[in-house]
Amino acid sequence: MLRVSPESGPASIDGPSVGDGAAAGAVPASIEQFLAGIGPRAFRFAEIGLRNREDALDAVQDAMVRMLGYRERPAAEWTPLFWSVLRSRVVDLQRRRAFRLRWLLPSPSGPDTDLDWEDETAPDPSRTHDGREAYGRLAGALAALPRRQREAFTLRVLEELDVATTARVMGCGEGAVKTHLFRAREALQKQLKDWR
C-alpha cells in the first residue's frame, strides 16, 4: 500500500532534494520509486493549495492511486501526468469546499491546523529556525497568490518543469504559463521584499 508521509522533511527552497531522481532528470525504475520520490513535494503542493493537512493527504493519495493505473505508460510521461492528476484533485477539493458553505462553521484553530515542517536532520537550531521561517513566509506568500499563479510558480520554479510540461499540467497555453509565472514572481517579490 502506498502511503504519503509529510514528515519526510522540509521543503527545499534552493531546489529539489538530492535523493529525488524525478526532479534531477533521472528516469525512475518503477512507478513505486517515482511515487516515493515525488510524495513529500506533492504533499506540500497540495497542502499549500488546500490549506488543510488531511485534505492534502487525501488528494496526494488519490493521485498516487490513480497513477498506478498508468504504470504501463513510459516513465518520461509520469511527471507531467502526476502533476496534472494532483492539480485536478486539488481543484476538485477546493470547489467542493467552497460549495459546502464553510463560512457557516467556525474556522478551526489549534495544533492540527498549523503547518508542521520539522527538520530533524539540521544540527543547528538557529539554522532550523531560519529554514522554518523562510518556508513559512514562502508558504504564506504562495497561499496569498491566486490559484493559477501559485500553480505556475510551484510547477515551474519549485518543481523545475519546463514551460511546455507546465502548460500541459495546467491545461493552458505556454504564453499563459509565462504570464502567470511573471505575475506570481512580481507578487512574491513585493510580499517578500522585507525578508531577505
Side-chain angles (χ1 to χ4, degrees):
M1 183 79 188
L2 292 173
R3 290 177 33 136
V4 179
S5 175
E7 287 80 22
S8 298
S12 173
I13 295 174
D14 296 328
S17 60
V18 175
D20 188 5
V27 177
S30 69
I31 189 84
E32 290 81 10
Q33 181 185 12
F34 168 76
L35 293 174
I38 205 164
R41 294 178 308 149
F43 171 74
R44 287 187 285 274
F45 175 84
E47 189 173 36
I48 289 171
L50 294 168
R51 297 180 181 101
N52 183 294
R53 186 178 188 87
E54 288 76 26
D55 287 348
L57 286 169
D58 289 345
V60 172
Q61 183 138 11
D62 289 348
M64 287 182 167
V65 168
R66 208 158 152 214
M67 280 300 294
L68 291 174
Y70 297 115
R71 74 174 58 233
E72 300 304 320
R73 293 238 180 139
E77 292 181 13
W78 291 344
T79 299
L81 184 59
F82 176 79
W83 286 110
S84 66
V85 167
L86 180 61
R87 180 186 163 278
S88 295
R89 187 69 183 124
V90 167
V91 169
D92 288 346
L93 289 170
Q94 288 171 336
R95 288 180 182 154
R96 272 195 201 130
R97 184 184 301 154
F99 183 73
R100 288 185 198 150
L101 301 176
R102 283 208 186 256
W103 57 273
L104 292 174
L105 301 174
S107 63
S109 61
D112 291 341
T113 60
D114 296 335
L115 293 178
D116 181 20
W117 303 107
E118 187 172 335
D119 182 7
E120 297 174 1
T121 61
D124 183 14
S126 65
R127 190 171 142 223
T128 302
H129 172 72
D130 291 345
R132 284 187 191 155
E133 184 179 351
Y135 184 77
R137 286 184 182 260
L138 178 61
L142 281 171
L145 290 176
R147 180 177 57 89
R148 301 289 280 179
Q149 290 178 16
R150 181 177 57 244
E151 290 170 356
F153 182 83
T154 303
L155 295 172
R156 281 285 294 132
V157 176
L158 300 180
E159 295 303 323
E160 298 180 346
L161 298 180
D162 60 15
V163 175
T165 305
T166 303
R168 239 175 55 204
V169 168
M170 293 179 63
C172 63
E174 293 181 16
V177 169
K178 292 175 184 178
T179 301
H180 290 308
L181 181 60
F182 175 78
R183 290 180 181 161
R185 283 182 171 155
E186 210 171 46
L188 288 172
Q189 284 177 348
K190 287 179 186 174
Q191 290 180 27
L192 300 173
K193 69 179 175 188
D194 295 335
W195 191 85
R196 289 186 189 239

